[in-house]
Amino acid sequence: EVQLVESGGGLVQPGGSLRLSCAASGFTFSPYTMSWVRQAPGKGLEWISYITSASDSISYADSVKGRFTVSRDNAKNSLFLQMDSLRDDDTAVYFCARERRGYYLDYWGQGTPVTVSS
Amino acid sequence: EIVLTQSPATLSLSPGQRATLSCRASQSVDNQLAWYQQKPGQAPRLIIYDASNRATGIPPRFSGSGSGTDFTLTISSLEPEDVAVYYCQQCSKKLYTFGQGTTLEIK
C-alpha cells in the first residue's frame, strides 16, 4: 500500500524556519517526481514545489520562491521542505504528493499543519 | 500561467440526482486535466486523470469529459458520501494550477 506521511509541522513565529519531512513507503520512491501542495484554512489547494527523481529539476511557485527549498533523499525514501523567512500567509496544511506523467498527483499524504503567528 | 475556473462554486442536489461540475482553462491543456475529491478533514484524492480516465478504486458513477479548454466532471447518481469539494488541476511549463473548487452538498 502506498503511504506518504508528513511530519515537522507546528507553530513558528514570523521570520522563523521549519523543515517538513515526508516519509514514503509501499512503493519504489526513487523514480518518482514528488510535489508539495498546501491549503490555507478554509481555502483551496495551492501547489508550491516539485522535485524530479534525481533532483535535477526543481520548480517553485512564486509565492515561496527564494524562501522554501525542496530536497529528497532517495536512500531514505524521504522528501523534505525547508521553509525559511516564514510569513503569516504561509499558515496552511502542507501535503506531499506523488506525481505521475508530468502533471497529476496520484497519492497524497494526510498533511501536516503549519501555523505562523507571533 | 494557466488559470482554471470552476463553476458553480456550490452545488446542492438530492441523493440520486446527477451532478455536473465545470472547469474552464484560460488556454488549451489538451487532455491533461485531473480532478480531485476532498472530503472534510481529509487529503485530496485523485478521481480522474487525462480528462476522462477514472483513477484506481473510483466508482463508475464518476466520469470526466472534455479537451482543450472545457472540461466536465459528472456524478451520475449522487450518494451521500459524495459530499466534498472537487478541484480540477493541470500542469503547464512546470507550473501546476488548481481551480478554486466546487463544493458539492447533498440535500
Side-chain angles (χ1 to χ4, degrees), chain A residues 60-62 64-69 84-85:
Chain A
Y60 299 97
D62 287 345
V64 305
K65 198 175 293 183
R67 301 186 300 120
F68 289 12
T69 304
D84 298 319
S85 303

Side-chain angles (χ1 to χ4, degrees), chain A residues 99-117:
Chain A
E99 189 218 77
R100 297 300 304 278
R101 297 205 8 246
Y103 80 97
Y104 66 87
L105 304 170
D106 65 346
Y107 285 97
W108 297 61
Q110 85 289 348
T112 187
V114 172
T115 302
V116 184
S117 174

